[in-house]
C-alpha cells in the first residue's frame, strides 16, 4: 500500500479550525479534509444517525487511502468514535486508526483553570452525551464541569450570520446561562470546532478573568505527540505537504465560506 495522507473529518466547516492548527504545526504531511456539508449540522441528530454519517465519511477517507483519520468534530467524537474504534476498526480495518478531539482536550484542561470550575459549551449532541464530563473527571476528579448546549450557534456560523448584530442575542443567552450555573468558572472550553469563529464576541461577553479556550492547538499538539509515540503509523504517512479538500455539499459554496475557518482561500472537490 502506498504512503497515505491523514484524513480530517467534520460535519461541515468547523473542522477547518482544527486543521488550521494541525497544518501549521505539522505542515509536511499530506492531508485530505472532508466536510459533510450536505448533511450538517450534526448537533441535533440521534446517536444512530451521527454514527452512520460519521462511519460513511470515515470509510470514504479510508477509500481515498487514509490510514489515520481525525474526527475534528466534537459531536462525531462524542457519538461515533467509541463504536468505530471498538467495533468497526477491529472487525474491518485492523490497520487503520481513528482519533477524536475530546480525550486530548480533557487530558490537558487542568492547565487552564485555577478555580477547578470549567464551563463546556457544545452542541446538544455533545452535551447530552456527557462525554466531556466523564472524560475530564476521569483525568481530574477535582474539576467541576458545567455544560451548556448552544444549538443556535452552528446554524448562525454555517450561514455566516455569526458576526452580525442579530447573533448577539443567542451569544449572550448561552454565555449567561453557563455563568448562572457557577460564579467561579474561570475556563470556558469551546467544545465545538465551529465556535472559535465566535471568539471576538465571546471575549467581549465573558469577563476578562475567564480563559476562553479553542481546541485547535491542543489537538495539533496531541497529534504530534501521537505520531511520535507511533512510528509504525508515522512512517507510512506521505510527506509532500499536499492538502486536498472535499465536501458532500456544493464545492463552490464550500470554497466561498471555508476561508473564514481556514484562514486562507482553498479549492474543494465534490465527495
Ligand atoms: N463542529 C462540530 C462539533 O465540533 C459540530 C457541528 C454540528 O454539525 O452540529 O461539534
Amino acid at each position: 500500500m502506498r504512503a497515505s495522507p491523514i484524513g480530517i473529518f467534520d460535519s461541515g466547516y468547523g473542522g477547518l479550525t482544527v486543521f488550521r492548527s494541525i497544518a501549521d504545526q505539522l505542515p509536511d504531511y499530506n492531508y485530505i479534509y472532508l466536510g459533510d456539508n450536505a448533511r450538517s449540522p450534526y448537533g441535533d441528530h440521534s446517536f444512530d444517525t451521527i454514527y452512520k454519517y460519521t462511519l460513511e465519511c470515515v470509510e470514504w477517507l479510508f477509500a481515498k487511502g487514509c490510514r489515520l483519520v481525525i474526527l475534528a468534530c466534537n459531536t462525531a467524537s462524542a457519538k461515533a468514535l467509541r463504536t468505530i474504534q471498538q467495533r468497526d476498526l477491529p472487525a474491518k480495518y485492523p490497520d487503520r486508526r481513528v482519533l477524536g478531539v475530546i480525550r486530548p482536550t480533557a487530558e490537558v484542561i487542568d492547565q487552564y483553570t485555577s478555580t477547578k470550575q470549567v464551563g463546556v459549551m457544545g452542541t446538544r449532541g455533545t452535551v447530552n452525551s456527557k462525554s466531556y464530563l466523564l472524560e475530564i473527571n476521569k483525568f481530574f476528579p477535582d474539576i467541576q464541569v458545567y455544560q451548556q448546549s448552544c444549538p443556535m450557534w452552528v446554524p448562525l456560523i454555517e450561514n455566516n450570520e455569526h458576526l452580525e448584530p442579530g447573533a448577539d442575542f443567542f451569544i449572550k443567552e448561552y454565555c449567561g446561562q453557563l455563568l448562572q450555573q457557577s460564579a467561579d468558572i474561570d475556563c470556558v472550553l469551546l467544545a465545538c470546532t465551529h465556535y472559535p469563529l465566535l471568539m471576538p464576541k465571546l471575549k467581549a461577553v465573558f469577563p476578562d478573568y475567564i480563559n476562553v479556550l479553542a481546541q485547535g492547538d491542543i489537538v495539533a499538539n496531541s497529534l504530534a505527540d501521537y505520531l511520535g509515540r507511533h512510528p509504525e503509523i508515522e512512517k507510512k504517512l506521505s510527506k509532500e505537504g499536499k492538502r486536498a479538500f472535499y465536501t458532500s455539499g456544493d464545492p463552490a459554496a464550500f470554497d466561498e465560506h471555508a476561508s473564514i475557518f481556514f484562514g486562507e482561500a482553498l479549492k474543494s472537490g465534490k465527495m
Side-chain angles (χ1 to χ4, degrees):
M1 199 175 172
R2 281 182 294 129
S4 69
I6 297 173
I8 301 195
F9 165 73
D10 180 54
S11 60
Y13 299 103
L16 290 167
T17 63
V18 173
F19 186 20
R20 177 73 272 158
S21 297
I22 291 176
D24 287 345
Q25 192 171 147
L26 300 165
D28 296 338
Y29 297 103
N30 292 5
Y31 296 95
I32 300 181
Y33 182 90
L34 173 60
D36 192 8
N37 297 75
R39 302 187 291 194
S40 76
Y42 278 14
D44 286 336
H45 289 321
S46 69
F47 177 95
D48 287 344
T49 303
I50 294 169
Y51 163 67
K52 176 178 176 288
Y53 289 176
T54 304
L55 181 61
E56 281 169 14
C57 290
V58 165
E59 290 187 319
W60 186 86
L61 285 164
F62 284 169
K64 282 269 176 198
C66 300
R67 281 195 185 83
L68 172 64
V69 172
I70 314 294
L71 302 185
C73 174
N74 288 274
T75 311
S77 298
K79 299 277 193 178
L81 181 62
R82 190 181 292 259
T83 314
I84 291 175
Q85 283 178 335
Q86 293 181 353
R87 198 174 68 192
D88 300 299
L89 296 185
K92 290 190 273 178
Y93 312 101
D95 60 335
R96 318 259 179 158
R97 296 291 175 269
V98 180
L99 306 175
V101 290
I102 296 178
R103 194 192 163 102
T105 310
E107 271 174 355
V108 298
I109 199 77
D110 66 316
Q111 296 168 21
Y112 302 93
T113 173
S114 337
T115 61
K116 308 278 179 214
Q117 306 241 347
V118 172
V120 171
M121 306 189 92
T123 64
R124 275 203 191 105
T126 299
V127 166
N128 290 344
S129 76
K130 298 196 173 67
S131 299
Y132 274 99
L133 219 103
L134 299 169
E135 284 290 329
I136 292 175
N137 284 149
K138 204 155 71 192
F139 293 110
F140 309 107
D142 56 331
I143 291 184
Q144 188 73 36
V145 178
Y146 299 91
Q147 299 197 98
Q148 179 62 46
S149 65
C150 313
M152 287 301 290
W153 284 4
V154 168
L156 283 167
I157 294 167
E158 295 256 320
N159 289 292
N160 210 6
E161 293 288 335
H162 56 290
L163 295 179
E164 299 300 323
D168 291 358
F169 173 82
F170 288 107
I171 291 174
K172 289 192 185 127
E173 175 88 353
Y174 301 143
C175 295
Q177 284 173 11
L178 176 65
L179 295 186
Q180 264 170 25
Q181 297 184 51
S182 163
D184 292 325
I185 292 171
D186 69 347
C187 169
V188 170
L189 170 67
L190 304 185
C192 170
T193 55
H194 283 68
Y195 297 174
L197 266 78
L198 297 172
M199 194 58 102
K201 290 212 169 190
L202 294 174
K203 288 216 155 130
V205 168
F206 283 121
D208 287 345
Y209 63 82
I210 291 186
N211 199 350
V212 185
L213 191 61
Q215 289 174 299
D217 290 347
I218 294 173
V219 174
N221 288 340
S222 162
L223 177 59
D225 178 63
Y226 178 88
L227 294 176
R229 286 184 292 109
H230 293 277
E232 76 288 0
I233 292 171
E234 199 283 337
K235 66 173 193 277
K236 291 179 186 154
L237 297 174
S238 45
K239 299 173 191 86
E240 294 138 339
K242 289 186 187 158
R243 294 163 197 177
F245 298 84
Y246 291 91
T247 174
S248 59
D250 171 24
F254 184 84
D255 297 353
E256 204 179 303
H257 201 34
S259 61
I260 61 172
F261 294 81
F262 196 57
E264 64 184 79
L266 54 89
K267 190 137 189 55
S268 65
K270 182 85 178 156
M271 178 189 185

